[in-house]
Amino acid sequence: MIGHPREESLLAFQDHRLDDRRRRRLAGHLSGCQRCRNVVQSHRAVRGVFALEAPFAPDGVLERVLASRASGMKMVLPVAEPDARRHTTLPLRSFAIAAGALLAVLAGVQVVPMTPLKQAWRSWSAMVVDWQPLGGRSVLDLRYPDAPIARAATFDPSRIRPMTATYLYTDRPDTPFRLTLTVSRGGGEWVVRELYGPLGGLAVRLDTASLALIGWSQVHFRRPAEPWGSVTSLERHGSAYTFELKWFGEPPANTTRTQPEMRRSGENPVFNNGPTYPDGVTLWVLLGAVPMKLGWAGSVTRLWSGTEPVPSNEYRPVTYLVTGSRRVTTAIGTFDAWEVSELAPANYGDTYWYRKTDGLLLKAMYSRRSGGEEYRIQSVTYP
Amino acid sequence: MQRPFSLVTPIPTTGGAAIRLDLVALRAGDPAALAATYRLHAGPLLRTLRGFLGSEQDAEDVLHDLFVGLPEALGRYEDRGVFGAWLRRVALRLALQRMRREGRRHEVDLEHANPATRASAEGLPDQLAVERALASLPESMRTVVVLRELEGWTHHDIAEFLGLREGAVMTRHCRAMKRLRQVLEDDR
């Protein structure tokens, strides 16, 4: 019995995607096989239908469009330049997640300086105090007069999607723990909520009706040395923990989140100012990045605080560079990813890998003077 | 890879001259320019969107949203003669957003569809039969075959757009084409 080529091969043959050897062999088969010739003919018939001229679109839709515009309706479209020369958000570094690890807050802002912004979360209002050009977009520093300092970078809002992403952070090999974020949409808002992690049940809402989504931001807290919250539930998963944190109350202005003191004896852990990471803990989870390209470089100013390597409360530029493109294997699969390296300041040289399709942070390596840390995605689910 | 066909259908005015895209007027939100652009591009767009979304109503909604937002979106478009391709890309991205936002829907709704052009050439199957078969495909297959066959995207581009592995795109494309051809063969 003569074997027949798979349908996939027949399609590849028609699309000129076979190498010469396979193409000749398949052509030889077709010349003597009516069955396969019929399949090819059917493919061509289907494609012939697709090639037919499309009918005109109904004028009813056009009338709706014109009426909508006349009434002042606005739509923000997911736009990309034709040559994909987009500018990207920058991953900002993540320090130890444990202590004041933060939620990646996606801030929707219009790029207008000194514009008061309504942040739906906790009803704090923020002012843009500075912005920098970043490959054609702007990175904004948002200062909340009565709340933490936040910073936003830019990204492509069309790539954000509802999902639940869990990251595993291995601060030390024996004390990894897990951060779970969910992104959902409702009522015209994107909501990013941290389910399990150092921030517990905090959520951020992004109003897309009045503010264009431009990126994610770091929320950095400062607080005097006193407990500001308590973990109300704690689960152990092997050597990893998941826990929920409840605030004692609204954090006062200039509060800083620092390394929590993890207790594994069953006692309810209480967070306090630990010494391990005096400059606070930041976690950047990039959700929805504009397409990057090899060699792209940009910089963003971020707030450096603490005692080392630089004095507290100093804004310093950090430069990032897309240094490579590679396949990255993670717990959720193997993907094409952009490799982004942090070039400055000294002694860090952290590296991030972002999935090319949507900018999801797959893995991060934090190279510290004391050793390496890794942060990697563990799971993503989409509703 | 050679594109199997062209999707751009110039529409002559009563004066015989083809409508040309006036980006300046369009950016300014001029209704006449928007209407001209709609008439130039909306037909093929609607067909692609209908195939992609599996619903005439959803396709019209996305088309509506696209053109409502188009003048402002052009602020980020650089005219390099690829407006049609750019517009289709934006439309598909909008459709993908809607699909993911509203969850999986499977809808065969061709009763109210724009009347299909009947095949005039002898031997070509009924276009409506193909569109029905397309609408009956699972979303996972339908989106891939629309991007491949209607838009002419490569498997690699489709994989990037949908967040899939290229191998998965090839498999879904193949399965979709197999189903479509089998429907047509049964129809004969």
Side-chain angles (χ1 to χ4, degrees), chain B residues 3-156:
Chain B
R3 279 179 173 247
F5 46 79
S6 168
L7 290 176
V8 176
T9 306
I11 303 171
T13 64
T14 53
I19 294 174
R20 302 217 176 271
L21 183 64
D22 185 344
L23 272 181
V24 173
L26 194 53
R27 277 194 178 109
D30 174 55
L34 190 60
T37 307
Y38 177 91
R39 293 195 177 100
L40 190 61
H41 292 282
L45 272 175
L46 183 63
R47 182 174 67 175
T48 292
L49 289 171
R50 185 170 58 235
F52 192 83
L53 291 164
S55 160
E56 181 75 14
Q57 186 58 57
D58 287 351
E60 289 189 0
D61 287 348
V62 170
L63 192 68
H64 163 270
D65 292 352
L66 176 73
F67 278 88
V68 167
L70 182 58
E72 286 72 32
L74 283 172
R76 287 167 282 171
Y77 169 73
E78 294 177 19
D79 186 13
R80 301 181 190 184
V82 291
F83 176 78
W86 176 86
L87 188 64
R88 284 197 295 279
R89 189 96 187 187
V90 175
L92 284 163
R93 199 173 287 122
L94 206 52
L96 190 62
Q97 278 184 346
R98 183 186 179 102
M99 188 183 287
R100 286 179 171 154
R101 183 174 66 236
E102 298 189 354
R104 296 181 180 275
R105 290 171 58 183
H106 181 71
E107 180 181 325
V108 180
D109 178 20
L110 295 174
E111 296 304 320
H112 302 98
N114 213 23
T117 303
R118 294 279 167 170
S120 56
E122 188 175 329
L124 283 177
D126 188 330
Q127 182 175 353
L128 194 57
V130 171
E131 291 189 351
R132 283 189 191 279
L134 184 65
S136 72
L137 289 177
E139 177 186 289
S140 60
M141 290 191 211
R142 192 183 67 241
T143 51
V144 169
V145 78
V146 164
L147 291 177
R148 178 87 178 128
E149 299 297 336
L150 274 178
E151 291 297 308
W153 288 17
T154 64
H155 291 126
H156 174 78

Side-chain angles (χ1 to χ4, degrees), chain A residues 6-9 11 15-17 38-39 41-62 64-66 68-69 73-83 85-86 137 156-162 185 327 334-336 355-358 383, chain B residues 1 5 9 11 29 31 34-35 38-39 42-44 46-47 57 60-61 63-73 76-78 80 82 86 90 93-94 97 100-101 114-115 117 119 124-125 127 130 134 148-150 155 159-160 163 165 170 173-174 177-178 180-181 184-185 188:
Chain A
R6 294 182 304 158
E7 189 138 355
E8 197 168 332
S9 297
L11 283 168
D15 292 342
H16 309 283
R17 287 187 288 112
N38 288 344
V39 172
Q41 186 57 36
S42 292
H43 286 157
R44 289 176 178 165
V46 171
R47 285 175 162 175
V49 170
F50 284 133
L52 290 174
E53 196 170 299
F56 298 133
D59 274 353
V61 176
L62 176 60
R64 274 175 58 200
V65 169
L66 296 175
S68 295
R69 285 194 59 85
M73 178 186 283
K74 299 291 181 196
M75 285 296 305
V76 178
L77 299 186
V79 171
E81 287 81 5
D83 64 354
R85 191 182 294 271
R86 293 301 298 280
R137 292 290 186 94
D156 181 355
S158 69
R159 290 171 179 254
I160 188 172
R161 65 173 82 167
R185 179 147 177 133
R327 301 277 286 170
T334 301
F335 306 97
D336 287 330
R355 185 161 66 181
K356 283 187 178 181
T357 54
D358 60 3
Chain B
M1 189 212 70
F5 46 79
T9 306
I11 303 171
L34 190 60
Y38 177 91
R39 293 195 177 100
L46 183 63
R47 182 174 67 175
Q57 186 58 57
E60 289 189 0
D61 287 348
L63 192 68
H64 163 270
D65 292 352
L66 176 73
F67 278 88
V68 167
L70 182 58
E72 286 72 32
R76 287 167 282 171
Y77 169 73
E78 294 177 19
R80 301 181 190 184
V82 291
W86 176 86
V90 175
R93 199 173 287 122
L94 206 52
Q97 278 184 346
R100 286 179 171 154
R101 183 174 66 236
N114 213 23
T117 303
L124 283 177
Q127 182 175 353
V130 171
L134 184 65
R148 178 87 178 128
E149 299 297 336
L150 274 178
H155 291 126
E160 278 211 344
R165 289 178 294 109
M170 289 183 182
H173 174 232
C174 176
M177 288 296 286
K178 183 174 182 178
L180 290 174
R181 72 161 176 89
L184 296 182
E185 287 166 3
R188 287 177 184 150

